[in-house]
Amino acid sequence: MSERKNLCVLVALHPVDAVLAERLGTDEARHAVERHARRIERAVVMQGGQVLIDDAEQTVAAFERSDAAVHAASEALERIHGLPPLLGSKQTVRIGVHYGALEGAAGEPAGEGPAVARQLAHLAESGQALISGTAVMLLGGAARQLVGSQPLSGPVWTRIGIPVHAIGQRSGLVTSVPGATRLSSRLRLRHQQEVVFVEELRPVLLLGRELANDITIMDPRASRQHARIERRPEGFVLFDQSTNGSFVAIEGKPECFVRQEHMLLDGPGRLGCGFSTTEVERDLVFFDIV
């Protein structure tokens, strides 16, 4: 990306927290930072963004549309917020989003876009994402709902010279799923000793070999980003995006093979990421609707 172009830039700052490093040790604290960075990167990629910088201190990404940047920032906050604290402390993450000129190659982005986005990230509180009024003006309806209706007020924001809004987490939205469904429908997944839910507060769950996934599958037959499960009006849908495919056995039905396709999970069953559910494997995922 060497030419000058107007894009929406997201800057996420996630340096090693000094208190966390003192409690955990430098290596463990850096591992916590990398875990956050992987979740931010995953949110960027899922929204079609291009990662320009991805290191231990910051993640910088560019998007063609401001809507995608807002969804990525919101999803990143949601994923990081869901991580358990380490010895009572949480790693610091601050995000800034701005639409403006971007120039320079990947790894060395320059211009108004990254400069303002970085400034907003430094001004954000821990666990907060801020967006410039310039980027807000370009948002569509769905993304606009994720942004505070009024700009932030106070001396700091007045000195910046442009309106600044806060970006919220997607889980705070009212979805279009009927109320009775939202209250009663959850997909429970069990993997080894872990139990997670796909529900209103977590409508998308990722499975794969990468540690950034919600469920990490260690079997080498699983892809790094193997599959996702989404909560939709019609139910819980598995989307396979892997090389070796997914094997799904719904109770009372023959095992199904899904590769680069989707399937409705309409009952209790088992899921194998790259291997059959008939195998005795520690990485089998068991699911049921509760």
Side-chain angles (χ1 to χ4, degrees):
M1 187 181 294
S2 58
E3 76 279 7
R4 178 185 174 94
K5 189 175 182 181
N6 286 330
L7 294 169
C8 196
V9 180
L10 179 152
V11 174
L13 303 178
H14 40 75
V16 176
D17 182 83
V19 176
L20 199 60
E22 184 177 352
R23 291 183 177 184
L24 296 176
T26 303
D27 290 342
E28 284 300 318
R30 187 165 296 277
H31 176 71
V33 169
E34 291 173 353
R35 184 173 60 168
H36 284 63
R38 296 288 77 77
R39 279 162 169 75
I40 296 169
E41 181 182 358
R42 180 61 178 149
V44 167
V45 172
M46 286 189 68
Q47 294 299 329
Q50 178 184 358
V51 178
L52 305 178
I53 297 178
D54 180 18
D55 60 33
E57 298 291 320
Q58 63 176 332
T59 301
V60 180
F63 300 81
E64 292 285 344
R65 299 170 59 249
S66 295
D67 296 58
V70 167
H71 283 293
S74 181
E75 183 175 334
L77 287 180
E78 185 177 338
R79 290 181 174 280
I80 292 170
H81 180 75
L83 290 171
L86 297 170
L87 298 181
S89 297
K90 284 210 170 191
Q91 172 61 35
T92 298
V93 176
R94 296 178 170 90
I95 299 176
V97 176
H98 178 63
Y99 187 90
L102 175 64
E103 51 189 282
E108 301 177 352
E112 178 202 350
V116 175
R118 184 172 283 107
Q119 181 185 20
L120 295 181
H122 279 291
L123 291 172
E125 298 178 0
S126 177
Q128 185 182 43
L130 300 177
I131 181 172
S132 69
T134 307
V136 171
M137 291 176 62
L138 300 173
L139 296 178
R144 189 63 181 82
Q145 295 180 36
L146 290 166
V147 176
S149 59
Q150 298 297 322
L152 302 177
S153 60
V156 173
W157 313 112
T158 301
R159 286 196 298 269
I160 290 179
I162 58 173
V164 178
H165 300 249
I167 300 174
Q169 297 178 32
R170 294 183 308 166
S171 58
L173 294 179
V174 177
T175 70
S176 60
V177 180
T181 304
R182 291 202 306 271
L183 291 172
S184 63
S185 182
R186 298 196 300 169
L187 184 72
R188 177 172 57 191
L189 299 103
R190 291 179 290 115
H191 173 249
Q192 298 181 25
Q193 303 303 314
E194 185 179 20
V195 177
V196 294
F197 292 88
V198 181
E199 55 187 342
E200 183 181 5
L201 298 182
R202 178 192 268 171
V204 180
L205 181 138
L206 305 178
L207 306 97
R209 225 171 52 244
E210 280 189 348
L211 295 178
N213 290 289
D214 300 300
I215 294 181
T216 303
I217 307 295
M218 302 307 296
D219 192 287
R221 291 169 288 183
S223 296
R224 291 184 303 129
Q225 299 163 7
H226 193 93
R228 71 182 188 275
I229 298 174
E230 294 188 7
R231 185 176 186 270
R232 296 193 165 196
E234 65 268 27
F236 299 97
V237 183
L238 170 74
F239 292 85
D240 179 88
Q241 51 201 44
S242 68
T243 301
N244 295 327
S246 299
F247 295 80
V248 182
I250 304 291
E251 189 174 292
K253 300 179 181 179
E255 180 181 75
C256 294
F257 176 68
V258 183
R259 183 168 61 190
Q260 303 294 323
E261 295 180 331
H262 63 274
M263 175 181 177
L264 182 66
L265 304 179
D266 56 357
R270 306 183 306 279
L271 168 64
C273 294
F275 53 86
S276 173
T277 60
T278 60
E279 298 184 28
V280 180
E281 290 285 348
R282 64 190 297 269
D283 267 327
L284 274 177
V285 177
F286 299 84
F287 59 85
D288 60 338
I289 298 174
V290 295

